[in-house]
Amino acid sequence: MKIVNILILCFLTVVGFGQQVEKSTYKDVLLKGATLVTVTNGTIEGDLLISDGKIAKIGRALEAGEAEVMDCSGKFVYPGMIDGGTQLGLGEVGSISLTQDSDEIGDYTPHMQALTAVNPNSVAIPVTRVNGVTTVISSPTGDLFPGTAALINLHGYTPDQMYAGFKAVVMNFPSTGKRGRRDRRSEEDIKKDSDKALKKLKEFWQQAEVYAKINDGSYNPQLSAVLPIINDEAPLIVNVNKKSDILAAIKWSQEKEINVIFSGVADGWRVADSLTKYDIPVIAGPVLSIPSRNSDRYDAAYTNVAKMVKAGVKVCLRTNDTENVRNLPFHAGFAAAYGLGVEEALKTVTINPAEIFGVDDQLGSLTEGKVANLFVSTGDPFETKTQIEHLFIEGWNVPIESRQTLLYDEFLERDPGADNKK
Amino acid sequence: MKKINYIFFLALLCFGLQAQEKGDVLIKNGTVITITNGVLENTDVLIKNGKIDKIGEDLSASDITTIDAEGKFVMPGIIDAHSHIALDVVNEATSPNTAHVWVGDGLNPYDVGVYRALAGGVTISHAMHGSANAIGGQCETIKHRYGVLNPEEMRMDGAPRTIKFALGENPMRVHGERNNISPATRMGMEQIFRNAFEQGKAYMKANKDYAAGKLDVPPLYNLQSEVMADILKGDIIIHCHSYRADEIYMLLRVLDDYGVKKICFQHVNEGFKVAPELAAYGAHASVFSDWWAYKFEVYYSTAYNATILAENGVVTSINSDSGELIRHLYHEAAKTQRYGGLSDNEALKLITLNPAIQLGIDDRVGSLEEGKEGDVVIFENHPLSIYAIPQQTIVDGIVRFDIAEDIDDMRLDVDPEETVPAFYELEEHSHEHGEDKCMQDVYEFLNHKH
Amino acid sequence: MKRLFYLAILALMLPLAAQSQVDYDIIQKATNKIFIKDVIIHDRPGSTIEYGSILIDNGIIKQIGRGIAEPNDALILEADSLHVYPAFIDALSHTGVKKKEEGERPNIKFVGSPPNMVAGILPHTSVVDQLDEESKNISSLREAGFGLSHSVAEGRMLPGQSAIISLSGKPIKDIVLKEKVGMYAQLKTSPRVYPATMIGVLSKFKELYRQAEGASVHLDKYKNSPLGMQRPNYDEAIVGMIPVTKKQQTVFFKAKSAKDVYRVLALQKDLGFDLVLSDVEQVYPVVDAIKSSRAKLLLSLDLPEKPEGMEDEEEEGDDEESEEEETDTDEDEEEEVEEDDEETMKFKERKIEAYKNYVSQGAMLEKAGIPFSFSWIDAKPKELQKNIQTLIENGLSEKVAISALTTNPAQVLGISNIAGTAEKGKLGNLIISTKPIFEKNSKIKFMLVDGELFEYKIKEKKKKSGGGEQMDIVGKYSYTIDQFDASGEMTIEKDGDDLKVLMSDSEDLSDTIEGTNVSQDGSELSFDLSVSEDGFTMDISVTVEFIDEEFEGTVSTQFGEAPIEGAKKSPKQ
């Protein structure tokens, strides 16, 4: 790694600091002699050919042909990891509101498109992908219907280049929990607020159903945004955490006869049977969070995923983060350690999200014909010390470089040093 | 049986474990990570009366709690050099200088966060004042004796006094932006420190003059000046919340002018840019593993910060500043292996010996050595592995966390009038508004202009 | 009802005009002597004089014991076989204190150094300046058996010096028994100025104390020889603290939680002042610490509500629960499931455990041999007796309970020589009750305070216990709230199984509002009213008790309380 860095350092001195100078390349590559962790088809010692942006072939002793050969002996290849819920690209500097694009004003803004506001040049994007996270849901935040989330690949210069084939309206189910440690509302006030929000939800959905029935194509961006849900063409992502709220949300979605994906689901372990019974997939996390109640076991959030998976719930993970989505593998690692096991944990960041978002024909495993979103690592990507050495997104060979690595390269041995001399 | 356990455990917590009580425990056949003397396979650690009595093979003692650590990893209790758990108050945000207040007056031994920290192997934390003021309050080094009810018994007796300083956006926002008083800039910040040190100097002189009989009456007692004087005397270690390289360098110059040597920079996200200067001054650095971008002054950060600082010879630690991160500092330390490839021992030093040095308690804790205090954590899997799970956490020879004995509800104090314990939604990405834990209690200030 | 809103604000927020000099509404007494004969005298804790007599002259006990000849110039109190106790002494409360108005705050540039007034640092002031003999608490506390109150001002960190007042209801100049009794202190912060946090309060206290010590040295030196010496010119708050540093004045430090007790004990250890831990609500975890500190203790009479579902003989809990279930809407069905699971049961257990700890505190202290008195900052006077009863039910002996209400507070307040027991020469402040005071259904018939005699109607409760029979109170009533100068009509109607209450104002009978949260318990009715005007809402809660066709009770608002009374209108009206 240090040698690589020194090489990069030499390179940098030529072109100057601060630019993303090393460009991605797009050509056929043969990953040779690797341990291929396919996720859906076991672990294979062999080669993998990337061609035309896809995984063209997996097997032993593949012919390179025109492809560049990359010696991967002793290395591991994994499908790119997928984060089921982030604000990546929608926010740049936390405290500066004018750099924050996730929260539009208004209770009913399902038509707000995350894909519109994702900044392809966000500094956080390279920071994230060099840890092997290739694809994320970027989601609006805020009120009852904050907007439409989109699945994006972390490479490209326009939203269209990044779009990975899934969008869904997001809803925050009215909560009967406290908003945070600073929430001083009494139990009654919380109940009142949540009743108010439930009423709003009821009214909105009533209008949407009427709109769907009339079906006259009149211009109504709010209601038309949820048409695909009512017409059973798309699922609704529902943020919900507390046990009683989850049960209420299940009841609501059953009444409305719509497909839902629950997100957050901190109390999922308390109602895992209900989630299984109604076959509701879950975007769980963050795994690295404190328990929701002071009376909960200290590891409630660590073990939540394992308990849901054991009960038969289909689970993928989310970090719910913006700048530190790079920690997705560590969230998965903690879930693995606390009952889930490595194999299942790997699924929660690869094939499970791909299936939940209906893109498992494209993403989520090392399978011939799928998009070449994958990375080469020195080992288990959940293990903290593992290094990611090569990264491919839609077949692009993306340099393992971000502003954070560039700063390392510049400052590890600063010139001039303290004595102002070389 | 579970219920009996539960009641027994609670009773034990409430009445059994008193004060600075010291325990005896024998940990058998573990892989002992000493930090200062390498890794010893199949080794026993004997703690007697709260102190490490012996480290060696085939140790025995009669009538003693024995823990079988075969196949497990035994390391010194983790130390967090920056935390706000066990505190009822974090910020007295009323003045750019509040050296006179002391968070040690507001310790809260009932905070279940202390237990959660124990469950992450953390035995000592530095309970800090917040960063609302250029000179914040004095801090307190606490031992995680979860179960004691007297705040006094949380203190690590004899640990050196420390104080919080803060640079940059937080104090500028609270005082400049809200109250329209200096400091509103990083220039103003420098003068706050210079004024305060001058105030301390003048106070010391006045007291000296009175003692020498040059004055008829003593100068009016002033707690703030007392504290400033104690800093000048070297009795108090400064822990300074800081981010940008320029402000870090500023404080080094000011401290140099007043001959103040004991300084540990906290967060210090751009410390890597002035690592050689920090090393030359002997300043310490206590950093986040990877937090960045939650406000402008941390936008140009790198997760390689700890590595760069350590490689440049700065005594560096990884801290939490968070009730969440404190539960897995061992993992935060491991990130220096991904970002910069530190060795196992270098990485573990960041959460043991180095924070101990920064808090001035390295002669008592921070490594497993005979004679040091019996603060130990036992891990399933290597502590730097993502699969590491703390099994037992021992403070002063007393097992305060045992994964096998853990019960769901660990609250020490229950309100007879509450219905059910409140459910807290995850705070939507608490950094979104640029408010780290350091700004606790300040929120209301920022909202109410008077 | 809008008028009521204005009247209430006027009445509660403006001080009342002074009374005129000559008042023919007051009867000039024929004698200052009162003779109580053939009573059972509980003259001090654990001691009884069967069938003795007491002669009180001008509020002082002249004679007490058996075989005292009946004087012919005294009022003879018919109290045959009743029980006499020395009147209780309330060891700390806000009794008689005017509600402070939070005036407009001056614009403060440096919030780190606000004026003393704004910071609430007023050790140089006295509660006497804030007394109001019209305070309703005086009469209701007297009705609960109290003759003296140790009164402290409301406020923040250092609200000022306390005073002992007599609950005779006489003019202020006559009710102050003793001034500058102690320094009242709290860990209460000042919003948005220093000290804005509890650690700020502790730091300020320490600094002020040390400054007062220094100032005291300076002042003494200056007094001896001022020549050539800098003139002492100290802040009044610093000077106000000097008696505390010289141990001439005790600090009554309010510390509700165990945590706060530890904090205050640590502060005391650091500075060394004389300490009375005051209004402590959570004492059970700190019994040992209090014992070894030797600080004196005032136990709060504010007890937590009994948790729902806790078994008791009256089985009130069951009724409440079933009521709740009825009012639950469909949407809560799922929630109900949650309420019943194992985890919730565990929470309930812990709550009950905690409750039991609170109500056994009296017994714990008794067992530990820690003398204590009772105080009540946050309780309601009406709850005091009930709460003492609860403590006794949970193991506190009657003897110690009586001590905590008589001899102990007298001792802590330094008035043992004049109060606390019924003996010759002491204040003739007496309780005369129908049965031993803590016995079930014992009622106070007379109170003697400072020579004034108060007689109370013994209310025949119409089967209150058992939760079963509700008094029939349906009908039209007239009501008056003297303090608001308001009156009108109150209509109680049946509404299914529930009651509906309508309140209207006499100025405009059509302006009617309906009460919410209406509940009846035997002869007691309570409901809430909400009156809005100009976007400002006043929440009023009303509790009244019916006796035959009359009722009396209290209306409370965020500004204060006022008595309400009324009677049934005859059908013709």
Side-chain angles (χ1 to χ4, degrees), chain A residues 306-325:
Chain A
K307 287 175 181 170
M308 284 194 283
V309 168
K310 273 192 188 126
V313 184
K314 173 146 290 187
V315 183
C316 72
L317 298 189
R318 66 162 194 177
T319 56
N320 199 30
D321 210 313
T322 305
E323 66 270 8
N324 272 342
V325 175

Side-chain angles (χ1 to χ4, degrees), chain C residues 156-223:
Chain C
R156 306 205 174 277
M157 171 181 160
L158 285 161
Q161 299 168 34
S162 61
I164 296 169
I165 60 167
S166 164
L167 303 180
S168 62
K170 292 179 186 171
I172 289 180
K173 62 179 172 49
D174 297 330
I175 62 172
V176 178
L177 192 77
K178 190 177 173 193
E179 284 191 61
K180 300 184 177 181
V181 176
M183 183 66 71
Y184 184 45
Q186 323 181 74
L187 294 172
K188 197 165 166 190
T189 60
S190 309
R192 305 187 299 284
V193 298
Y194 180 71
T197 61
M198 179 249 300
I199 60 173
V201 168
L202 285 163
S203 138
K204 183 69 196 179
F205 195 98
K206 286 180 218 172
E207 181 173 80
L208 200 59
Y209 192 94
R210 301 282 185 217
Q211 287 174 336
E213 283 178 329
S216 163
V217 171
H218 188 180
L219 284 163
D220 289 349
K221 271 193 184 173
Y222 190 79
K223 216 164 150 190

Side-chain angles (χ1 to χ4, degrees), chain A residues 54-133:
Chain A
K54 304 269 185 206
I55 299 170
K57 221 166 172 44
I58 293 173
R60 282 173 200 275
L62 296 183
E63 286 296 324
E66 298 286 296
E68 178 191 317
V69 177
M70 205 175 260
D71 178 18
C72 293
S73 47
K75 303 290 159 65
F76 295 77
V77 182
Y78 285 86
M81 288 180 275
I82 303 170
D83 190 323
T86 75
Q87 283 80 54
L88 187 54
L90 294 177
E92 197 62 20
V93 178
S95 69
I96 302 177
S97 59
L98 294 176
T99 70
Q100 298 297 311
D101 288 310
S102 68
D103 188 358
E104 188 49 75
I105 290 169
D107 287 334
Y108 317 102
T109 57
H111 51 304
M112 296 299 150
Q113 297 296 321
L115 196 56
T116 303
V118 161
N119 174 8
N121 301 299
S122 169
V123 173
I125 288 178
V127 167
T128 305
R129 68 188 177 209
V130 297
N131 269 9
V133 182

Side-chain angles (χ1 to χ4, degrees), chain B residues 416-430:
Chain B
E417 290 184 338
E418 79 171 355
T419 45
V420 284
F423 180 96
Y424 295 94
E425 294 282 346
L426 184 71
E427 277 172 79
E428 275 287 326
H429 201 203
S430 57

Side-chain angles (χ1 to χ4, degrees), chain A residues 191 243-244 251 270 295, chain C residues 332 335 338 341 343 347:
Chain A
K191 181 89 177 78
K243 175 181 165 178
S244 57
K251 204 175 158 200
R270 287 190 161 93
S295 53
Chain C
D332 286 341
E335 188 95 29
E338 180 176 26
D341 61 23
E343 196 178 21
F347 292 144

Side-chain angles (χ1 to χ4, degrees), chain C residues 105-341:
Chain C
R105 204 171 70 168
N107 198 2
I108 297 163
K109 183 167 184 186
F110 293 101
V111 294
S113 45
N116 289 332
M117 198 61 201
V118 179
I121 300 169
L122 306 165
H124 48 292
T125 65
S126 165
V127 69
V128 172
D129 300 326
Q130 295 183 39
L131 290 178
D132 171 14
E133 73 262 25
E134 299 279 339
S135 157
K136 173 152 190 301
N137 276 345
I138 290 184
S139 57
S140 48
L141 192 58
R142 183 172 61 223
E143 198 175 338
F146 289 82
L148 297 175
S149 258
H150 178 219
S151 204
V152 294
E154 295 190 32
R156 306 205 174 277
M157 171 181 160
L158 285 161
Q161 299 168 34
S162 61
I164 296 169
I165 60 167
S166 164
L167 303 180
S168 62
K170 292 179 186 171
I172 289 180
K173 62 179 172 49
D174 297 330
I175 62 172
V176 178
L177 192 77
K178 190 177 173 193
E179 284 191 61
K180 300 184 177 181
V181 176
M183 183 66 71
Y184 184 45
Q186 323 181 74
L187 294 172
K188 197 165 166 190
T189 60
S190 309
R192 305 187 299 284
V193 298
Y194 180 71
T197 61
M198 179 249 300
I199 60 173
V201 168
L202 285 163
S203 138
K204 183 69 196 179
F205 195 98
K206 286 180 218 172
E207 181 173 80
L208 200 59
Y209 192 94
R210 301 282 185 217
Q211 287 174 336
E213 283 178 329
S216 163
V217 171
H218 188 180
L219 284 163
D220 289 349
K221 271 193 184 173
Y222 190 79
K223 216 164 150 190
N224 282 339
S225 74
L227 210 61
M229 189 181 288
Q230 188 192 325
R231 184 171 63 86
N233 181 24
Y234 292 97
D235 185 279
E236 54 192 357
I238 295 175
V239 178
M241 279 297 274
I242 290 176
V244 170
T245 62
K246 291 186 161 174
K247 295 196 178 190
Q248 292 159 351
Q249 205 163 48
T250 301
V251 180
F252 287 80
F253 218 122
K254 180 174 162 185
K256 285 171 83 156
S257 65
K259 253 189 311 191
D260 285 352
V261 168
Y262 280 125
R263 283 168 185 152
V264 171
L265 286 176
L267 182 72
Q268 192 277 337
K269 207 172 154 197
D270 184 10
L271 300 176
F273 51 86
D274 284 338
L275 171 66
V276 178
L277 289 163
S278 299
D279 213 41
V280 182
E281 283 177 15
Q282 188 191 31
V283 95
Y284 66 89
V286 277
V287 170
D288 291 346
I290 291 174
K291 185 158 192 182
S292 58
S293 78
R294 294 173 183 212
K296 289 174 181 145
L297 173 67
L298 312 185
L299 183 65
S300 171
L301 271 177
D302 192 11
L303 293 180
E305 294 276 334
K306 193 173 207 169
E308 263 177 56
M310 197 174 157
E311 333 79 56
D312 59 348
E313 321 92 285
E314 291 171 70
E315 307 215 335
E316 277 168 25
D318 284 8
D319 281 351
E320 277 166 35
E321 263 174 34
S322 58
E323 251 172 61
E324 237 177 57
E325 273 162 34
E326 279 164 37
T327 55
D328 273 328
T329 57
D330 296 355
E331 280 153 359
D332 286 341
E333 265 175 12
E334 306 276 15
E335 188 95 29
E336 278 303 303
V337 179
E338 180 176 26
E339 300 296 326
D340 281 343
D341 61 23

Side-chain angles (χ1 to χ4, degrees), chain A residues 1-2 87 92-96 100 102 122-124 127 130-131 141 175-182 184 187 240-243 245 266-267 285-299 301-302 318 320-324 326-327 329-330 333-334 336-338 342 380-388 403-405 407-408 411-414 417-418, chain B residues 2 112 115-116 119-120 169 272-277 280 289-297 299-304 307-308 311-312 323-324 327-328 330-332 334-341 344 384-390 401 403 406-411 417-429 431-435 437 439-440 443-444:
Chain A
M1 183 61 185
K2 269 192 184 162
Q87 283 80 54
E92 197 62 20
V93 178
S95 69
I96 302 177
Q100 298 297 311
S102 68
S122 169
V123 173
V127 167
V130 297
N131 269 9
T141 60
S175 167
T176 54
K178 284 183 184 272
R179 288 186 201 114
R181 305 277 146 181
R182 280 199 297 261
R184 301 259 162 84
E187 282 177 49
V240 61
N241 283 301
K242 189 185 164 192
K243 175 181 165 178
D245 297 340
D267 266 352
V287 175
L288 293 170
S289 47
I290 57 170
S292 306
R293 293 179 178 83
N294 282 344
S295 53
D296 281 347
R297 236 182 96 108
Y298 74 94
D299 60 0
Y302 297 162
R318 66 162 194 177
N320 199 30
D321 210 313
T322 305
E323 66 270 8
N324 272 342
R326 60 176 159 186
N327 286 336
F330 306 142
F334 264 74
Y338 284 81
V342 182
D380 175 358
F382 299 163
E383 270 296 5
T384 325
K385 65 165 67 161
T386 297
Q387 300 294 321
I388 311 296
R403 187 162 75 198
Q404 304 215 344
T405 65
L407 286 170
Y408 175 63
F411 285 102
L412 180 61
E413 290 166 38
R414 201 189 72 191
Chain B
K2 180 114 191 183
V112 74
Y115 182 75
R116 291 174 181 159
E169 289 181 19
F272 67 93
K273 293 184 179 172
V274 285
E277 284 74 16
S289 61
D290 60 2
W291 282 14
W292 70 295
Y294 46 93
K295 48 174 145 178
F296 191 68
E297 59 190 354
Y299 191 45
Y300 295 88
S301 306
T302 173
Y304 294 82
T307 309
I308 298 173
E311 301 272 339
N312 276 273
E324 201 286 302
R327 308 177 316 144
H328 43 78
Y330 50 95
H331 166 57
E332 300 307 309
K335 285 178 182 170
T336 58
Q337 302 197 304
R338 176 158 299 201
Y339 310 119
D344 284 359
L384 293 170
S385 164
I386 194 77
Y387 306 115
I389 300 179
F401 166 75
I403 197 166
D406 182 80
I407 50 169
D408 289 359
D409 184 358
M410 287 302 303
R411 292 172 300 159
E417 290 184 338
E418 79 171 355
T419 45
V420 284
F423 180 96
Y424 295 94
E425 294 282 346
L426 184 71
E427 277 172 79
E428 275 287 326
H429 201 203
H431 279 161
E432 212 160 292
H433 306 288
E435 278 163 23
K437 263 280 186 182
M439 287 290 270
Q440 199 173 306
Y443 182 72
E444 281 155 30

Side-chain angles (χ1 to χ4, degrees), chain C residues 10-19 98 101 132-135 482-485:
Chain C
L10 274 178
L12 292 168
M13 295 186 76
L14 298 177
L16 286 160
Q19 299 291 317
K98 267 180 277 192
E101 297 154 40
D132 171 14
E133 73 262 25
E134 299 279 339
S135 157
D482 279 344
Q483 207 173 324
F484 299 176
D485 195 16

